[in-house]
Amino acid sequence: MKHTGFPAALVGLMLAACSPAAETGTETVADAGHQADAAHTESMTSAAISEADLRYRISTLADDSFEGRAPATLGGIAASQWIADEMARIGLEPGHGDSYFQPVALLAVTLDTDQSSFDIAFNGEPLGLSMSEDVVYWSKLNSSDITLDNSELVFVGYGVVAPEYGWNDYEGLDVEGRTVVMLVNDPGYGNPDSGLFNGNAMTYYGRWTYKYEEAARQGAAGVILIHQTAPASYGWNVVSGSWTGTQLDLARAPGEGQFASVESWVTEARARQMFDLAGLDFDALTAAAAEPGFVPVPMAGLTATGHLVNSTETLESRNVVGVVPGTARPDEYVLYTAHWDHIGIRDVPEGEDGLYNGAVDNATGTAAILEIGEAFVANPPERSVMILAVTAEESGLLGSAYYGENPIVPYDQTVGGINIDAILPTGRARDVVVVGHGASQLEDILTEAAAEQDRYIVPDPNPEAGYFYRSDHISLAKKGVPMLYADGGFDLVEGGREAGEAMGADYRANRYHGPADEYSEDWNMDGMVEDTTLFFNVGSRLANSDAWPNWYEGNEFRALRDAQRSE
Ligand SMILES: [Zn+2]
């Protein structure tokens, strides 16, 4: 269903809604859309953490009328307005001065694919890479016209500089003006027994964000990331789906920030073709890249040439924040985060569904933190609780990164936080998965609270996927704040691990970042209710104590936190 945008009546209300007045909770599009069940809304949500409340909020946020909640679109504006109204309705206080909104300025860069080109040539002979099929490319430069001219290719392994491991894939290499080609994930993935890079669990060095950041720091003009499904932990469809269309970043002036001219991914098939042409053994070099002392390899005869035409625009999105003031130590805050945004609408052939409703990702998490906020209003804690729904997570954790740089509450007053991102409607699970397990003392509190539900804690079964670096808690963790990112597990009460893993695999294969991630009345909500209750209990223990949980000894964020708290 090629989406034709909002019905006229709704657009009228929207414009009314976007006026400053809207921030104070006057009637908005969302309410207009749900006028029929306004009375229903009032009576339906309660202080208790309930299936009905979660269903109401998830079905609302994942409704077509919010158009997949892309930041700075009509759908995104309406959804964030609805969240603010919901915060006001359930009794949360405005969390940003007298507003529920923390504005987040974004830079939207849209590549004009008709006028742009990017290709690899072998001895001047173009390979004819086609956009989306073989390659996706873009530029983060705040510029309308970018060129890359016969830039020589060099393979830099995993493209990592990690002093703590004595590792430098750019050792003695000048990549100024050149195009670096690299593998996704980190050397620990390729060589888990090396004892380096946290073994098979992905470190931040394995994340695409780090790869482009490091290549830019090194002065590369072009960057080519080789996509392989296993080390990336997602298919090419996610790459071609996520990196085409308008790219968002935190707003910055032209020339601000350090970026390669052209950033890209290529398919494994095309990468193998390039290695063959250059007379290089792809598999042997992939193995060598995971060995200490790897030496980068020029890819003889291969050059990259591109001409990118961008239109850039500064947009504004917003984090939505509400607070339950503490009764005894109101200056100390416990944080709950969840991103409200999703992918929005994609251009698709007539008859296909281009609307990415983002029901699991992350209407569930947003609904859960609202539900938790409502429960705290009814059970006022000693410390304050902040409910923070962030924007632009799908574009690179931008809303939380913005909060990270512009915290509303100083970090030495932020006790810790819980991030909720994508709760699968699997039914109750005996286990609770901790993403980035073994990081902080928050896990001790979680273990106790889970035991009350007769549940046990397990590490993330896919540490190589690097989920710890792929959601909003990392923006706060990077600032030293102990953050927990956990989720219902796979050892289901009904169907056991087999059923749980099958559901997880089905979600990842068929609905993750796809138009099929839609809400359904036949979802089994038992697990979601139990998980939301668990996260409430963890926060309640923290908010009704004077504990200051820290990162465990040796954790990458511990030193930062110690310094923060010592002040
Ligand atoms: Zn998400």
Side-chain angles (χ1 to χ4, degrees), residues 339 341-342 361-362 393-394 421-422 470-471 512-513:
H339 71 92
D341 68 297
H342 196 55
D361 187 9
N362 189 28
E393 186 268 357
E394 304 293 2
D421 190 353
R470 290 170 56 177
S471 189
Y512 172 66
H513 282 200

Side-chain angles (χ1 to χ4, degrees), residues 329-362:
R329 291 179 300 287
D331 294 338
E332 298 174 5
Y333 284 76
V334 171
L335 197 56
Y336 283 90
T337 58
H339 71 92
W340 62 258
D341 68 297
H342 196 55
I343 291 168
I345 295 174
R346 288 256 174 266
D347 281 336
V348 294
E350 194 67 33
E352 282 185 26
D353 180 1
L355 199 160
Y356 291 59
N357 297 73
V360 166
D361 187 9
N362 189 28

